[in-house]
Amino acid sequence: MQATTVGPRPPSARPRSKAGWVWRWPLPALLAWFGAWALTLLLPAAGVAAMPAQCCGMALSGAVAWALPQASAWRRWLTALGFPLALLASGALSAWPAWCWLLPLALLWLAYPLRAWRDAPLYPTPLLALQGLAEQAVLPAGARILDAGCGLGHGLKALQREWPLARIEGVESSWLLRLACALRCRFAQVRQGDMWQRDWSGCAMVYLFQRPESMAGAWSKAQREMAGGSWLLSLAFEVPGAVAEVVLSRPGSHPVWLYRIGSPSSGSIRPGDGR
Ligand SMILES: C[S@@+](CC[C@H](N)C(=O)[O-])C[C@H]1O[C@@H](n2cnc3c(N)ncnc32)[C@H](O)[C@@H]1O
């Protein structure tokens, strides 16, 4: 039987954005801010206290920022933060109790357990960063791809776009990010955990967007646990001393290194480099 391969979808088969005029920038941000102010001003008239009404406004602008289709990070931040900053400038937040200012700090701590600082903080993979790699790393349908440290799932989406028939999985140390990622990427299996503890055997590919310091350990782990012929894919950081099968570099975007496990050219790393 001929093996089914997972290649890039032809342009016509790629999902088209259903976004209509309403998503044309800067309309979504203006609508989000308008809706947020409307909630803040109208809910008190219906008997809701000022603080919960302002929170509803912030939640609305945050939700619109979240839902923006294929928007850049700065557009999302602008949409989400425009309303709270306007509230701050208007002096409306001065009535909030002092402990509320600790909430963003608590949120940051939940999103980034201290352990995660050793590897990499959250920084998303651009959707098209891996475009074209499916032609180089041909995977059978149902092959498992793991994003080690999957954050909010941007890497999972880029992987699914490139290998649409693969089984996409993610592991993320922050339970808050894991939860948000699972909600954003229902096509993937997302678990909370430490990528260094997770078994990589059985994965046809492991994808990383971590830190330069993590790469030697990741290569060592991949060589110990992954089958010959499988792939280690890294955005932005290369494995020191290993030779990549493919290096994808495009102007204006991070390079991508694709390593084949067990390839004679890829080399190995001294024991002790791994975790
Ligand atoms: C640069 S972000 C990349 C996120 C995602 N892979 C992407 O490309 O969009 C690195 C992510 O790895 C997570 N992380 C760091 N160390 C980890 C570990 N030991 N186990 C699991 N996740 C980890 C961080 O919380 C962060 O979300």
Side-chain angles (χ1 to χ4, degrees), residues 119-121 123-125 147 149-151 154-155 172-173 193-195 209-210:
D119 291 306
Y123 198 88
T125 294
D147 182 352
C150 59
H154 294 82
E172 169 56 50
S173 54
D194 183 353
M195 66 180 189
F209 184 16
Q210 290 295 322

Side-chain angles (χ1 to χ4, degrees), residues 181-192:
C181 179
L183 289 173
R184 291 185 75 233
C185 303
R186 293 178 186 268
F187 60 85
Q189 185 197 75
V190 185
R191 295 228 168 101
Q192 193 268 329

Side-chain angles (χ1 to χ4, degrees), residues 111-113 115-126 147-158 171-174 177 184 191-197 207-211 214 235 237 275:
Y112 287 118
R115 251 178 324 112
W117 290 91
R118 198 183 58 192
D119 291 306
L122 181 64
Y123 198 88
T125 294
D147 182 352
C150 59
L152 281 171
H154 294 82
L156 296 177
K157 289 192 176 185
V171 60
E172 169 56 50
S173 54
S174 154
L177 293 183
R184 291 185 75 233
R191 295 228 168 101
Q192 193 268 329
D194 183 353
M195 66 180 189
W196 301 109
Q197 302 301 322
Y207 171 67
L208 293 162
F209 184 16
Q210 290 295 322
R211 290 174 57 198
S214 314
L235 180 67
F237 306 112
R275 295 194 177 222

